[in-house]
């Protein structure tokens, strides 16, 4: 496994649309393992492949307190949402920035696992926000595009909510 460099705002790749994964091979598994390592090292709750410079529809996330909620989402799609929440959000690609976004309170996602099997996930609270934030990355959308209120909190309060 290797730590990959996280792309930061200003790099045009963050605005590009990622392509679907077609081959569930060792190259993908290495990418996933590296993304997992990179996300945990950066204290993130989620990471999209584009954030390490790879334009493929791949997301890793872990919204748990104790690193037991690790998930891999390949070619994820939101299949249903309910309610709304307004919370402070940050992003590993926008260091030092945060702000309040409006997201669904509950999100259903279907995605493939690293072997290509389709799975269904449901998230509320932070996990729902994280699903939306990371899937946005795959379409070149940043949380700053969805602000309802610019950030006022100190970064260290939200450092672990970054994805
Ligand atoms: Ni992000």
């Amino acid at each position: 496994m290797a730590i990959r460099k996280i792309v930061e705002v200003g790099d045009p790749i963050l605005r590009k649309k990622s392509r679907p994964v077609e081959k569930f091979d060792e190259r993908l598994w290495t990418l996933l393992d590296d993304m997992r390592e990179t996300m945990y090292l950066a204290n993130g709750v989620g990471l999209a492949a584009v954030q390490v410079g790879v334009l493929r529809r791949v997301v890793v996330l872990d919204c748990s307190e104790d690193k037991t909620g690790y998930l891999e989402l390949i070619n994820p799609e939101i299949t249903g949402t309910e309610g709304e929440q307004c919370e402070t959000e940050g992003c590993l690609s926008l260091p030092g920035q945060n702000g309040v976004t409006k997201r669904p309170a509950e999100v259903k996602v279907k995605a493939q696992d690293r072997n290509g099997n389709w799975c269904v996930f449901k998230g509320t609270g932070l996990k729902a926000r994280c699903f939306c934030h990371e899937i946005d990355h795959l379409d070149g959308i940043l949380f700053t595009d969805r602000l309802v209120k610019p950030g006022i909190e100190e970064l260290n309060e939200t450092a672990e909510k970054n994805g």
Side-chain angles (χ1 to χ4, degrees):
M1 279 189 280
I3 302 301
R4 303 220 185 178
K5 188 173 164 15
I6 296 177
V7 173
E8 293 187 0
V9 69
D11 189 320
I13 198 172
L14 287 173
R15 290 307 192 173
K16 292 190 177 160
K17 203 170 158 72
S18 295
R19 294 182 298 275
V21 170
E22 284 156 9
K23 287 186 194 154
F24 295 80
D25 57 6
E26 273 190 38
R27 198 183 161 96
L28 173 68
W29 302 335
T30 301
L31 172 66
L32 284 162
D33 292 342
D34 289 355
M35 285 173 64
R36 175 186 172 137
E37 198 80 349
T38 304
M39 173 183 74
Y40 282 131
L41 186 75
N43 271 323
V45 295
L47 192 67
V50 61
Q51 292 181 275
V52 294
V54 178
L55 280 170
R56 289 288 176 179
R57 302 187 80 80
V58 175
V59 162
V60 297
L61 58 98
D62 186 348
C63 301
S64 69
E65 296 283 321
D66 53 0
K67 299 187 178 179
T68 55
Y70 178 69
L71 289 178
E72 295 175 343
L73 308 177
I74 321 293
N75 299 326
E77 287 169 38
I78 292 175
T79 56
T81 65
E82 218 168 287
E84 60 178 54
Q85 56 172 320
C86 290
E87 295 290 343
T88 301
E89 217 167 287
C91 179
L92 294 174
S93 294
L94 285 79
Q97 289 189 50
N98 62 53
V100 176
T101 58
K102 184 155 77 179
R103 302 285 193 185
E106 190 179 309
V107 176
K108 282 182 192 140
V109 173
K110 74 167 189 179
Q112 284 167 285
D113 67 15
R114 61 166 60 206
N115 297 307
N117 303 306
W118 285 98
C119 314
V120 174
F121 302 94
K122 198 164 105 175
T124 59
L126 175 60
K127 198 168 170 185
R129 282 211 307 286
C130 196
F131 282 152
C132 295
H133 178 115
E134 301 309 331
I135 292 170
D136 270 355
H137 271 304
L138 305 182
D139 294 317
I141 299 165
L142 301 175
F143 82 91
T144 43
D145 300 332
R146 299 197 184 276
L147 289 182
V148 293
K149 200 169 83 182
I152 46 166
E153 292 177 40
E154 292 298 316
L155 178 67
N156 59 9
E157 287 182 51
T158 55
E160 286 176 38
K161 294 180 188 167
N162 293 344

